[in-house]
Amino acid sequence: MNRVGNEISKVFDNKKALITYLTAGDPSLESSEEFIVVLAKNGADLIEIGIPFSDPIAEGEVIQNAMKRALSKKINLDDVFNMVVRIRKRTDIPLTFMTYLNPLLTYGYDNFFKKCKETGISAIIAPDMPFEEQDEVKEFADKYDITIITLIAPTSNERIENIAKSSKGFIYLISSLGVTGVRTKIATDIGWLVSKIKKVTDIPVAVGFGIASGWQAKEIVKYADGVIIGSAIVKIIAEYKENAAPKLAEYILSIRKEMEI
């Protein structure tokens, strides 16, 4: 396993992982930088940085609005990479990009993954890139040791085993059909899906989409190796803007505490 793969796997060593998400540039790149450091200091194990994009088809209203706010300030991919460089001077927490294929295609696959390597991005998650279509970018990701995190949905059905067998880093298990967003109830049989994945691979499984409360996280990690929380964090940022850091710290500490009970 390469260095990056090891780096991500260590996130799950001897504990349940808390993975968090925010959109770069919402409300500003300086604020995003500060929020990432705060999340890292208060219990997050890995942070997904959303690259602002005009057509985020997997995102619900909360993250769509965050991306609109970031794009309104003309933030581009080079700005995001420069932010990552500054973050790397303050924390060594593993970072991934949550992105779509179009920004990568526009920037150039080779150039994009080279910059990921240079700045300290461990992996990418691209919801609009089906597992069967990964070959288009995989050679560039492999060239620079960047992991492509694979998503599995409740509707993946007979594809689950094939996807799981070939996954690296961790598997992003989507909890519910539809787009991202806070949900009061997760109706999917997470335990059954995780057990199906675990029959064919020992790669960690983290569950995302809809998880917002401590009790939801606590229930999920009875089966899975980690949880991914995005919209709930973005909602705090939307409400408190540049002053969100103390609220984010309080929120992440509360989730971490529930997961460890």
Side-chain angles (χ1 to χ4, degrees):
M1 188 178 288
N2 61 43
R3 185 190 65 79
V4 172
N6 280 327
E7 186 176 88
I8 293 179
S9 295
K10 287 179 181 175
V11 168
F12 299 88
D13 280 353
N14 304 315
K15 64 178 178 179
K16 303 292 185 177
L18 174 54
I19 300 171
T20 61
Y21 166 95
L22 55 69
T23 301
D26 175 39
S28 67
L29 287 167
E30 292 75 17
S31 295
S32 297
E33 176 185 339
E34 184 63 28
F35 297 161
I36 287 170
V37 173
V38 167
L39 292 170
K41 286 182 176 177
N42 288 279
D45 298 300
L46 184 153
I47 297 175
E48 296 176 9
I49 301 173
I51 296 175
F53 180 51
S54 59
D55 189 22
I57 58 173
E59 314 297 353
E61 184 178 7
V62 171
I63 295 178
Q64 283 184 23
N65 288 338
M67 291 195 169
K68 287 178 183 175
R69 291 191 291 270
L71 289 171
S72 71
K73 297 175 182 175
K74 311 296 183 186
I75 290 169
N76 60 40
L77 196 42
D78 279 326
D79 295 327
V80 178
F81 276 123
N82 290 334
M83 179 190 73
V84 174
V85 171
R86 296 193 298 274
I87 290 168
R88 275 288 163 250
K89 296 176 181 176
R90 303 177 66 185
T91 177
D92 61 358
I93 190 170
L95 300 172
T96 73
F97 275 149
M98 183 79 161
T99 184
Y100 292 84
L101 277 178
N102 189 271
L104 277 64
L105 182 63
T106 302
Y107 201 78
Y109 291 150
D110 191 85
N111 197 31
F112 174 82
F113 286 106
K114 182 181 179 185
K115 290 285 286 188
C116 286
K117 180 71 172 181
E118 291 173 348
T119 57
I121 294 294
S122 299
I124 71 158
I125 304 167
D128 61 344
M129 181 171 63
F131 171 76
E132 292 80 1
E133 306 295 329
Q134 286 188 1
D135 287 348
E136 182 175 339
V137 301
K138 193 172 183 303
E139 67 174 289
F140 301 99
D142 289 347
K143 179 178 177 182
Y144 297 105
D145 292 336
I146 307 300
T147 302
I148 299 175
I149 302 299
T150 302
L151 293 94
I152 289 179
T155 53
S156 294
N157 298 322
E158 67 275 7
R159 297 170 60 240
I160 288 178
E161 289 190 3
N162 287 335
I163 295 173
K165 286 177 182 176
S166 301
S167 294
K168 294 183 177 179
F170 68 91
I171 290 171
Y172 190 128
L173 178 59
I174 297 172
S175 73
S176 312
L177 299 180
V179 295
T180 58
V182 173
R183 290 172 173 81
T184 57
K185 183 178 180 181
I186 306 295
T188 304
D189 189 344
I190 298 297
W192 180 82
L193 279 170
V194 172
S195 67
K196 187 168 184 175
I197 293 168
K198 293 291 187 181
K199 287 179 181 176
V200 297
T201 183
D202 59 358
I203 293 290
V205 178
V207 180
F209 276 46
I211 299 163
S213 66
W215 71 264
Q216 284 177 318
K218 184 178 178 179
E219 286 299 306
I220 292 292
V221 296
K222 288 179 180 177
Y223 312 101
D225 302 294
V227 295
I228 304 163
I229 298 180
S231 293
I233 288 170
V234 175
K235 283 183 71 174
I236 293 172
I237 294 171
E239 181 175 357
Y240 294 96
K241 302 180 176 59
E242 288 85 356
N243 301 314
K247 295 294 181 181
L248 291 173
E250 180 182 343
Y251 175 72
I252 290 302
L253 282 169
S254 69
I255 297 290
R256 181 89 259 174
K257 183 179 179 181
E258 285 290 327
M259 289 173 65
E260 293 175 352
I261 293 176

